[in-house]
């Protein structure tokens, strides 16, 4: 705090065993609940994210973590049922398997044009907000939009693709966070790399626009 730090944020991979190194192993070794919502590796986070956030809050800090956009690959492979979905949606309804997408690791693409996607995200952030999350770094947002289940035409360089373009995806996450956290302030930081993506400024408080160093 003497150095003006406010947020303590864990980078990616908190939801799998770090000894599982290949993308396929990461997919199938994700820790998650029965509804496909990622949970922290109990070996590295024995007190869970709730315990970590409580400790940070007690010390005057804010708590955050990293996610890739999309749905957990293991949840998709296992067709995990979405919590609270009256239509009996599963995570397979919310996304699609594009496991070859570079950099997404243990995540498959999300299809925000399908109502299952918003219901899944709402359930995810109902849990994560209960942990005391103050900050989310949402990575992989530089994707140009998938060659989706129906291969919709790319609109505006992919940013507005209704299936998984950067702007519709950011809006879906922002809505889920607002609903789950009940209006409590949560910073949504969008990570794209390169030059960033115009149009995100309305959905985020932080835009990662450079390569990592």
């Amino acid at each position: 705090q003497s150095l003006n730090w406010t947020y303590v944020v864990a980078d990616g991979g908190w939801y799998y065993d770090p000894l599982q190194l290949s993308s396929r192993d990461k997919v199938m070794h994700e820790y998650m609940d029965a509804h496909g919502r990622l949970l922290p590796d109990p070996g590295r986070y024995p007190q869970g994210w709730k315990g970590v956030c409580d400790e940070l809050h007690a010390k005057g800090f804010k708590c955050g973590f990293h996610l890739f956009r999309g749905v957990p690959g293991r949840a998709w492979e296992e067709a995990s049922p979405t919590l609270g979905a009256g239509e009996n949606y599963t995570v397979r309804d919310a996304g699609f398997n594009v496991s070859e997408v570079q950099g997404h690791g243990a995540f498959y693409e999300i299809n925000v044009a399908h109502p299952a996607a918003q219901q899944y995200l709402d359930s995810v952030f109902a849990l994560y907000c209960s942990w005391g999350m103050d900050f989310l770094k949402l990575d992989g947002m530089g994707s140009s939009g998938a060659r989706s289940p129906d291969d919709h035409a790319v609109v505006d360089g992919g940013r507005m693709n209704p299936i998984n373009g950067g702007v519709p995806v950011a809006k879906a996450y922002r809505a889920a966070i607002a609903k789950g956290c009940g209006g409590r302030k949560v910073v949504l930081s969008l990570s794209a790399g390169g030059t960033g993506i115009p149009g995100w400024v309305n959905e985020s408080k932080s835009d990662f626009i450079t390569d990592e160093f």
Side-chain angles (χ1 to χ4, degrees), residues 35-37 71-72 75-76 79-82 89-96 120:
H35 301 287
R37 302 179 297 182
V71 300
W76 189 94
S80 299
T82 298
Y89 289 139
T90 74
V91 178
R92 283 204 174 214
D93 297 306
F96 51 98
Y120 172 70

Side-chain angles (χ1 to χ4, degrees), residues 113-199:
H114 195 297
Q118 192 66 59
Q119 291 190 23
Y120 172 70
L121 292 177
D122 288 351
S123 75
V124 166
F125 288 101
L127 176 63
Y128 293 176
C129 290
S130 76
W131 293 344
M133 177 189 78
D134 304 297
F135 184 107
L136 178 69
K137 176 186 174 184
L138 186 59
D139 209 343
M141 294 297 290
S143 171
S144 61
R147 298 177 299 280
S148 71
D150 299 313
D151 197 21
H152 280 218
V154 173
V155 181
D156 190 22
R159 293 188 293 274
M160 299 303 297
N161 185 309
I163 287 179
N164 64 345
V167 173
V169 168
K171 287 179 180 292
Y173 275 84
R174 179 76 267 175
I177 292 169
K179 181 178 180 179
C181 292
R184 181 169 57 82
K185 179 182 177 182
V186 175
V187 173
L188 174 60
S189 176
L190 302 177
S191 179
T195 58
I197 294 185

Side-chain angles (χ1 to χ4, degrees), residues 4-63:
N4 294 319
W5 284 18
T6 301
Y7 293 90
V8 179
V9 181
D11 210 348
W14 49 267
Y15 35 77
Y16 53 66
D17 184 336
L19 297 180
Q20 306 299 334
L21 300 179
S22 74
S23 290
R24 178 64 183 175
D25 282 343
K26 288 177 182 178
V27 164
M28 298 315 294
H29 286 85
E30 292 168 313
Y31 291 101
M32 65 183 198
D33 68 9
H35 301 287
R37 302 179 297 182
L38 292 171
L39 302 174
D41 170 16
R44 290 180 291 156
Y45 300 87
Q47 71 275 56
W49 267 116
K50 178 69 165 61
V52 172
C53 289
D54 285 350
E55 183 174 349
L56 288 171
H57 291 156
K59 294 179 178 180
F61 294 107
K62 294 187 181 297
C63 176

